[in-house]
Amino acid sequence: MTRILVAGSHILERQESRISLEAKGYQLIVATDIKTAVGLFLEDPPDLLIVERGFAGNGELDLVRVANACLQKTNIPIILVLPREEMVAGIDWRVLPVDDLLERPVAPEELLLRIQLAEARRNRVFDNNPLSKLPGNTSILNAIQNALADSEPMAVCYVDIDNFKPYNDHYGFSQGDEVILMVARVIVNVIDQVARQRSFVGHVGGDDYVFIVPEFKMVEVCEKVLANFEAVRNLFIAPEDVKKGGFVEKDRQGRETRFGLLSISIAVIPTGHGKFQHSGQVAAVATQIKHKVKALDGNNYLIDRREGYFPD
């Protein structure tokens, strides 16, 4: 079910609009003032935002900025509703970045059509992970290229959950999915608190994630991600396994093996000094660092401190 935040008092003023959308399975969350709309968005980001032009103090701009800065729903479609005279007058879209327009008063048929179009466009263009809803591989590669082109040093960080496969086999896929979502939330929440500006979070797939932060924030973010993960990890492990410090499961060769508790390894690749030309080089170095950090016991991060690019 697509959750739509409707910010404004005129968008659903025709009863048929609400009825037709709910009949199609959309969940509507309505806010008639910007403060409430921003609060609702931050508390539980929707899948699509429709916002009306004309709030006091250009409040719609504040809401659009919040939506564009949301790490968990990076690619959320935004539809702006405005009167025809403002369409004709023109708007600076660099200041008010939205994806589509609707003329006020809004016709119910056109509202439904534009929402369906926005969903179809999002599905074509973006590659969000179906479980975590975080951006996927295409977005990650673009984000790494942007980091390499950034005038300020950035750090690309690859995250991997240690012992995840045997955990998944031991506790089941449903519990494994809960762990994957928990780690995604930990990463997003930490970056939201510590390094919101210019940062990125993506989900490669399975138990692999990538986040990108300004280089001067990389140590603080990594340490807080590991600490927060450690604080909640045992909620997902049976008390008897926590007490024993691990669990027994078959390894890839089918032999019964004792595995340690879940932990996180982070391979950190600073992109400064112009040592990388493209994202493939960053990924190659990340593989080297990842092997080293995963060989360590428990939660760890390891930073590539080398000055140059050293492929295998």
Side-chain angles (χ1 to χ4, degrees), residues 3-273:
R3 296 172 59 254
I4 303 176
L5 176 58
V6 181
S9 53
H10 299 95
I11 300 168
L12 299 177
E13 59 188 351
R14 289 181 60 176
Q15 193 178 14
E16 309 96 280
S17 296
R18 177 185 283 273
I19 293 172
S20 63
L21 291 177
E22 290 179 339
K24 289 289 183 181
Y26 294 105
Q27 181 185 353
L28 303 175
I29 308 154
V30 180
T32 55
D33 65 272
I34 282 300
K35 185 178 178 183
T36 301
V38 170
L40 287 169
F41 196 103
L42 292 174
E43 184 180 340
D44 189 7
D47 304 306
L48 194 148
L49 170 64
I50 306 175
V51 58
E52 191 172 280
R53 180 78 161 162
F55 283 100
N58 291 325
E60 65 274 11
L61 179 56
D62 294 334
L63 181 56
V64 169
R65 283 173 175 160
V66 168
N68 281 317
C70 179
L71 292 170
Q72 193 177 1
K73 296 285 181 71
T74 304
N75 304 320
I76 180 174
I78 304 174
I79 300 175
L80 180 68
V81 177
L82 69 172
R84 181 166 224 7
E85 54 270 25
E86 290 200 41
M87 285 186 177
V88 175
I91 293 175
D92 186 347
W93 303 116
R94 293 168 298 179
V95 177
L96 190 56
V98 298
D99 301 288
D100 203 353
L101 299 173
L102 266 172
E103 182 183 346
R104 201 171 69 200
V106 180
E109 313 78 40
E110 188 172 4
L111 179 60
L112 175 60
L113 190 64
R114 292 300 179 90
I115 289 171
Q116 292 173 328
L117 180 62
E119 289 185 301
R121 186 188 301 122
R122 178 193 57 194
N123 293 337
R124 281 199 309 273
V125 174
F126 298 114
D127 58 340
N128 290 33
N129 184 279
L131 179 60
S132 67
K133 310 299 183 191
L134 289 171
N137 288 318
T138 301
S139 300
I140 291 169
L141 291 175
N142 290 336
I144 294 174
Q145 281 301 140
N146 291 338
L148 297 182
D150 201 304
S151 58
E152 294 185 37
M154 303 293 286
V156 180
C157 308
Y158 286 77
V159 182
D160 186 80
I161 306 174
D162 306 317
N163 299 323
F164 181 76
K165 184 183 181 305
Y167 175 91
N168 211 37
D169 294 341
H170 190 69
Y171 285 91
F173 289 107
S174 177
Q175 185 87 351
D177 285 352
E178 290 296 321
V179 170
I180 286 173
L181 286 172
M182 177 267 287
V183 173
R185 283 195 290 268
V186 165
I187 297 170
V188 168
N189 290 342
V190 168
I191 291 178
D192 216 20
Q193 296 166 11
V194 177
R196 187 183 187 95
Q197 299 297 322
R198 300 168 52 233
S199 296
F200 169 87
V201 182
H203 189 173
V204 177
D207 60 322
D208 292 300
Y209 314 79
V210 169
F211 65 83
I212 302 173
V213 293
E215 188 175 319
F216 75 97
K217 288 284 187 182
M218 63 184 178
V219 170
E220 183 181 1
V221 170
C222 287
E223 290 184 349
K224 198 166 180 62
V225 166
L226 298 185
N228 287 4
F229 171 77
E230 182 72 19
V232 299
R233 177 195 61 185
N234 290 353
L235 298 174
F236 298 83
I237 301 172
E240 57 269 27
D241 289 339
V242 173
K243 190 174 180 180
K244 290 184 290 187
F247 56 90
V248 175
E249 185 54 59
K250 290 181 179 177
D251 63 13
R252 294 179 189 277
Q253 286 71 44
R255 300 170 300 201
E256 283 202 341
T257 305
R258 184 181 182 282
F259 294 92
L261 301 177
L262 293 173
S263 57
I264 281 184
S265 295
I266 308 177
V268 183
I269 319 299
T271 62
H273 315 296

